[in-house]
């Protein structure tokens, strides 16, 4: 099973690099990207999971309703993208459920931040996908964490996929910067070894973000916008041709618990 997921959030990354972007533009850029993602998934009849902040969801109700109507799963990306307190775990889950009358069972922390697993369980989540089990200077050092899903208390941990050899991450930056044939090789290796693939992206990657005022490094905007739409469309088509199925995290969790 291929687990496609998207962290749908206010596009505040320029602020990390001392760039400028008003809140309205943060939301509109992510909305544009989300529409393009949904169109690609609909074209290929592929299901996915969307981890949304409450801030983005409240400002994009029509798009959240569309993704739910098209059979995708809504999960929590907490309340804000750049501000977090433990209380936001439970509050964000309950708010998303209230806004969209859907069951929210999964969590992904913004920027894959560490989180107290006892607090995650207490907040009512049954799975958490907030671990990138690799080493990335200045960001992650999770080489001792399991590459594949495992149970922690009553919560299923579903780490992002990394290659069986050397733990090369298959996250969004790899997709943008690796040659596509090499990324496909890593994806094939994961599917063969683990029987599933868990990869994540963001809607703003599919929008036009090459803007000098954002001050984003070149490696974050390479193959973005229309180039990303074409690249991702091609990749999903390739996975379908290989006979792989697409599922939500909720479907995957049920499968591994059988």
């Amino acid at each position: 099973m291929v687990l496609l997921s998207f962290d749908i959030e206010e596009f505040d990354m320029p602020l990390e690099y001392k760039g400028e972007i008003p809140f309205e533009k943060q939301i509109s850029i992510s909305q544009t990207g989300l529409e393009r993602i949904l169109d690609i998934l609909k074209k290929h009849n592929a299901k996915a999971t969307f981890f949304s902040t409450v801030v983005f969801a409240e400002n994009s109700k029509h798009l959240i309703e569309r993704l739910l109507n098209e059979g995708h799963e809504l999960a929590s990306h907490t309340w804000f993208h750049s501000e977090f307190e433990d209380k936001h775990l439970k509050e964000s889950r309950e708010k998303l459920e209230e806004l969209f009358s859907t069951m929210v069972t999964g969590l992904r922390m913004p920027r894959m931040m560490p989180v107290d697993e006892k607090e995650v369980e207490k907040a009512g989540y049954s799975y958490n996908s907030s671990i990138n089990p690799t080493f990335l200077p200045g960001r992650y050092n999770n080489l001792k964490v399991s590459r594949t899903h495992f149970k922690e208390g009553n919560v299923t941990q579903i780490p992002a996929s990394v290659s069986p050899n050397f733990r090369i991450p298959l996250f969004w930056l790899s997709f943008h910067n690796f040659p596509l044939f090499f990324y496909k090789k890593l994806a094939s290796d994961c599917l063969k070894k683990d029987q599933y693939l868990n990869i994540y992206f963001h809607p703003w990657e599919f929008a036009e973000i090459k803007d000098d005022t954002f001050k984003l490094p070149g490696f974050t905007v390479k193959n973005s916008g229309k180039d990303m739409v074409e690249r991702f469309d091609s990749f999903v088509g390739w996975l379908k041709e290989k006979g792989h199925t697409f599922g939500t995290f909720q479907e995957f969790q049920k499968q591994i618990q059988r």
Side-chain angles (χ1 to χ4, degrees):
M1 183 181 285
V2 176
L3 302 174
L4 297 174
S5 64
F6 303 87
D7 297 350
I8 55 177
E9 62 209 23
E10 51 276 28
F11 175 51
D12 57 4
M13 189 167 71
L15 305 181
E16 288 184 65
Y17 294 96
K18 311 300 181 190
E20 298 175 3
I21 182 168
F23 176 75
E24 294 75 17
K25 196 162 188 177
Q26 294 177 31
I27 296 295
S28 67
I29 283 176
S30 284
Q31 288 174 338
T32 295
L34 179 51
E35 287 176 350
R36 292 174 178 176
I37 289 166
L38 290 172
D39 288 345
I40 295 169
L41 296 177
K42 188 173 184 179
K43 172 183 172 181
H44 294 286
N45 193 28
K47 296 296 179 280
T49 299
F50 292 83
F51 295 86
S52 182
T53 63
V54 171
V55 169
F56 181 76
E58 285 184 319
N59 286 275
S60 313
K61 289 182 181 177
H62 62 296
L63 289 172
I64 304 296
E65 286 164 357
R66 176 184 166 185
L67 73 86
L68 288 169
N69 288 336
E70 293 179 0
H72 304 296
E73 176 190 348
L74 180 65
S76 174
H77 202 39
T78 73
W79 200 286
F80 307 97
H81 193 245
S82 292
E83 181 185 327
F84 175 72
E85 298 175 39
D86 282 342
K87 67 178 185 176
H88 294 158
L89 295 171
K90 186 171 187 285
E91 289 177 352
S92 65
R93 181 182 64 76
E94 292 179 340
K95 186 63 174 178
L96 291 172
E97 289 186 337
E98 174 196 324
L99 284 170
F100 302 104
S101 301
T102 188
M103 185 171 284
V104 173
T105 61
L107 169 73
R108 178 173 292 145
M109 292 295 291
R111 300 181 177 89
M112 293 287 207
M113 289 191 306
V115 63
D116 185 332
E117 290 308 328
K118 290 179 181 174
E119 292 295 331
V120 174
E121 184 171 338
K122 202 161 67 175
Y125 294 97
S126 67
Y127 75 83
N128 181 16
S129 185
S130 303
I131 301 171
N132 203 334
T134 189
F135 174 70
L136 197 65
R139 187 62 68 118
Y140 314 121
N141 187 4
N142 296 320
L143 293 176
K144 294 182 179 177
V145 179
S146 172
R147 287 182 55 257
T148 55
H149 62 85
F150 61 96
K151 208 72 183 281
E152 194 163 18
N154 290 318
V155 178
T156 303
Q157 301 291 333
I158 311 177
S161 287
V162 295
S163 66
N165 298 317
F166 309 111
R167 293 200 178 205
I168 301 169
L170 278 86
F171 67 156
W172 65 282
L173 280 173
S174 305
F175 191 82
H176 287 267
N177 290 280
F178 289 168
L180 198 51
F181 76 87
F182 181 59
Y183 189 90
K184 288 178 178 178
K185 168 69 166 61
L186 296 178
S188 293
D189 290 347
C190 278
L191 283 159
K192 186 175 181 181
K193 172 77 172 176
D194 306 329
Q195 301 301 303
Y196 73 96
L197 179 68
N198 174 15
I199 50 177
Y200 65 97
F201 306 90
H202 311 83
W204 38 264
E205 300 170 48
F206 295 76
E208 284 62 46
I209 56 173
K210 291 179 180 177
D211 186 320
D212 290 342
T213 62
F214 295 168
K215 297 185 179 178
L216 298 174
F219 66 87
T220 64
V221 299
K222 184 178 180 181
N223 288 314
S224 59
K226 294 294 175 62
D227 291 337
M228 180 59 174
V229 170
E230 292 176 11
R231 196 175 180 87
F232 187 72
D233 182 23
S234 167
F235 179 66
V236 175
W238 172 78
L239 287 168
K240 278 190 74 175
E241 287 172 11
K242 293 291 182 182
H244 299 300
T245 59
F246 300 86
T248 65
F249 278 73
Q250 287 176 345
E251 290 168 341
F252 178 71
Q253 190 177 23
K254 286 177 186 173
Q255 183 174 301
I256 62 178
Q257 287 175 345
R258 284 175 192 159

